[in-house]
Amino acid sequence: MFKRFQKDILCIEKNSFITPWKLPQFVDELNNPYSHMWGLIEGEELIGYICFWMVVDEVHIMNIAIRADMRRKGMAKLLLSELIRFAKSRNMSKIWLEVRPSNKAALSLYKKMGFKKVAIRKKYYSDTNEDAIVMALDLK
Ligand SMILES: CC(C)(COP(=O)(O)OP(=O)(O)OC[C@H]1O[C@@H](n2cnc3c(N)ncnc32)[C@H](O)[C@@H]1OP(=O)(O)O)[C@@H](O)C(=O)NCCC(=O)NCCS
């Protein structure tokens, strides 16, 4: 999936984040045995992707993005629902993620999917010095 859509992934990434992942970061993920990356593909087109780690019985979402022209159509909800279904089928107990307080779209998405705020990591994002909100979803 990554090789086929590499250009599209890097393009979506660049249009989605203040500090986008570059190719080496994606390659690190592909070489990391804990890491999984899924693409949401319609026909020949990449709509979005999610990257997550599975370690013991916990999942950590590392990255999720939807192509700008396909947002607000339930695509992220679809990806997350599929991740939740998959994680439950693997007997995982929790899904974790970090989100910027300024990212209202993502915060609203995660709340809608049942994630709860559990902690603040001070100055977690070194590019803007922004805190991170840590959110978790209990699967059991
Ligand atoms: C955050 C993101 C992944 C949401 O993707 P999406 O496919 O547009 O989201 P969905 O259509 O599935 O929306 C699900 C819910 O999220 C919330 N939401 C999504 N976009 C929103 C926006 N722009 N403003 C407010 N709420 C929003 C809404 O609650 C929405 O439910 P509703 O449509 O019933 O109101 C997308 O905006 C994106 O790729 N952003 C850039 C990358 C990013 O910030 N990733 C998250 C990093 S933590």
Side-chain angles (χ1 to χ4, degrees), residues 16-17 64-66 70-78 98-100 103-106 108-110 112:
S16 297
F17 296 102
I64 177 169
I66 300 295
M70 290 301 284
R71 289 182 190 163
R72 295 312 294 265
K73 295 176 191 284
M75 297 294 150
K77 258 195 288 195
L78 189 69
E98 285 94 18
V99 56
R100 294 177 194 253
N103 193 343
K104 302 298 177 208
S108 169
L109 165 71
Y110 299 139
K112 207 157 253 184

Side-chain angles (χ1 to χ4, degrees), residues 34-45:
Y34 296 115
S35 187
H36 301 253
M37 188 162 177
W38 293 348
L40 185 59
I41 297 158
E42 192 178 64
E44 291 298 304
E45 290 189 22

